[in-house]
DNA sequence: CACGTTGTTCCTTTCACCGGAACGACGGCT
DNA sequence: AGCCGTCGTTCCGGTGAAAGGAACAACGTG
């Protein structure tokens, strides 16, 4: 255990010493079984007590650390729990989805995507690319609106009704959607809810088509899985052929996560 | 979700802006469902891209963040998982122990302690104080050697034999223990292993007495629970009366943690 | 082609922050 | 009682670490 061992000096690639120190303090709190003193942090990291104190105060202000009750020693705080839970939860969803999406990619020979809802829209968080030279690819992490694209629509279709109404209203405003477009969107969402999947053709990208279905955890749609490709291969009829395979995957993933 | 919402400006009490920024980047990674871009971090926190990049590089150098495969976006890294697990594990042991130690305190009217092993000794990590005006209290987080005190002895008694031999040898050297003291210590430890608890009187503090027993998880002693008080009340006979209550608590805690 | 955005690197300037010092509190020892 | 050492916390001055603007190559879109 590391209380009595010096933390090895580690450089940084492109970071700063000050930021390194914050990370090191967090890791020290992690390595210590009980409350850590300001003087202990200072000694371990070879910094002044006042520096150690300041870093700890910043961590406390963000709930990443806290002072142990009845002590002036510091411990990891509630936000550290949330951080770990998030890091684990991200791994859990993507780890569970990866083999299934890879298999779906292999069977369809088209690009498969995992997409998650964020405020105001969605984000693609994983992709498995088609082996074809001409294929559809997306930029992971980039924000996308709800209304254009299969995965956006499927997430919206299976969202809470109140949330859905609000999202449609906001998106109408931000993207200047007319009455006809809104009505068409609502019909699409109704249709999606009946079938459990949605197809799109040329909406986000005029050269692309897609089919998407939701992943549920305890009845809540937490992600979408989609298959997409260039319009030349991804005809509406092709999308309908792919749908059962897709639903099979989303059902297995949903079961695995519950 | 917070990608589209500005992170609220939060001051710090005694910290620094630079350290706050590191914490804020971590929390932003936590709040984002997918990879976060340098430019996204910069926009959210209202800092320059180069600053955001540097903080992220520092976090990556400590495995608190990583770049998503096939993307230049950043995610929480493996050390964040460990951090959360540690924060949770600390909560788990102390959360499980708290009601039992409180109950033991209430029944004995003496101070109860939770103590954990660290390199070279032990650390008190939680205490529930006696309601008496004259009572025993300890400083949480302060390092203590093995050989002086009931909880140190109980942890040593139930440690791996190899570890125990090494610890005794080291402690003999550091604290200049003579042959007689070592022999007496070994007899104490043998006695402790036979009975499952250990009593002490006046060893760490000439005015105090204590009785301690180990907490096991999967056959490994991971902590000690002890009851301690002033010698005037905490006679050896009194310690023997407390021992069954203490063993009851450690057994329930061990069961709860397994 | 032009334009916009991106992540990453470089360089100048400056002020945020490091670290030493001070201080009150506490505990141990004589 | 006094003295000493250690502690966490706060203060303050000097300076160099770091913020931030700029540059740049890469990429995507029209």
């Amino acid at each position: 255990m590391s209380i009595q061992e010096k933390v090895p000096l580690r450089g940084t690639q492109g970071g700063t010493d000050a930021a390194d120190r914050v990370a090191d303090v967090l890791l020290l709190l992690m390595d210590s079984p009980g409350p850590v003193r300001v003087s202990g942090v200072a000694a371990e990291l070879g910094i002044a007590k006042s520096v150690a104190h300041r870093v700890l105060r910043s961590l406390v202000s963000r709930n990443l650390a806290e002072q142990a009750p009845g002590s002036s020693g510091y411990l990891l705080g509630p936000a550290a729990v949330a951080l770990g839970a998030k890091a684990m939860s991200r791994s859990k969803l993507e780890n569970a989805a990866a083999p299934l999406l890879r298999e779906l990619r292999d069977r369809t020979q088209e690009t498969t995507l995992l997409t998650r809802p964020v405020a105001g829209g969605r984000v693609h968080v994983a992709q498995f690319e088609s082996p074809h030279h001409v294929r559809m690819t997306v930029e992971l992490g980039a924000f996308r609106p709800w209304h254009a694209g299969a995965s956006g629509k499927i997430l919206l279709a299976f969202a809470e009704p109140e949330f859905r109404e609000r999202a449609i209203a906001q998106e109408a405003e931000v993207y200047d959607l007319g009455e006809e477009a809104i009505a068409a969107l609502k019909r699409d969402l109704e249709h999606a809810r009946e079938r459990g999947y949605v197809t799109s053709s040329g909406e986000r990208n005029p050269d692309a088509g897609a089919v998407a279905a939701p992943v549920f955890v305890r009845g809540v749609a937490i992600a979408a899985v989609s298959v997409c490709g260039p319009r030349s291969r991804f005809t509406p009829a092709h999308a309908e052929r792919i749908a059962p395979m897709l639903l099979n995957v989303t059902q297995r993933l949903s079961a695995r996560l519950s």
Side-chain angles (χ1 to χ4, degrees), chain A residues 104-164:
Chain A
L104 185 59
R105 186 272 314 272
D106 292 343
R107 294 184 63 185
T108 60
Q109 296 289 298
E110 296 294 359
T111 295
T112 57
L113 298 174
L114 183 67
T115 307
R116 298 202 67 176
V118 297
R122 58 191 166 119
V123 164
H124 299 306
V125 298
Q127 78 174 330
F128 295 82
E129 293 185 8
S130 165
H132 290 292
H133 288 293
V134 177
R135 62 183 172 243
M136 172 83 180
T137 65
V138 301
E139 188 162 359
L140 296 179
F143 171 78
R144 300 278 183 256
W146 301 112
H147 73 278
S151 57
K153 284 183 184 175
I154 206 72
L155 286 172
L156 204 47
F158 286 95
E160 291 287 328
E162 194 175 307
F163 176 89
R164 185 165 59 242

Side-chain angles (χ1 to χ4, degrees), chain A residues 197-212:
Chain A
Y197 65 93
V198 71
T199 59
S200 73
S201 189
E203 290 181 350
R204 263 223 42 90
N205 184 331
D207 299 322
V211 55

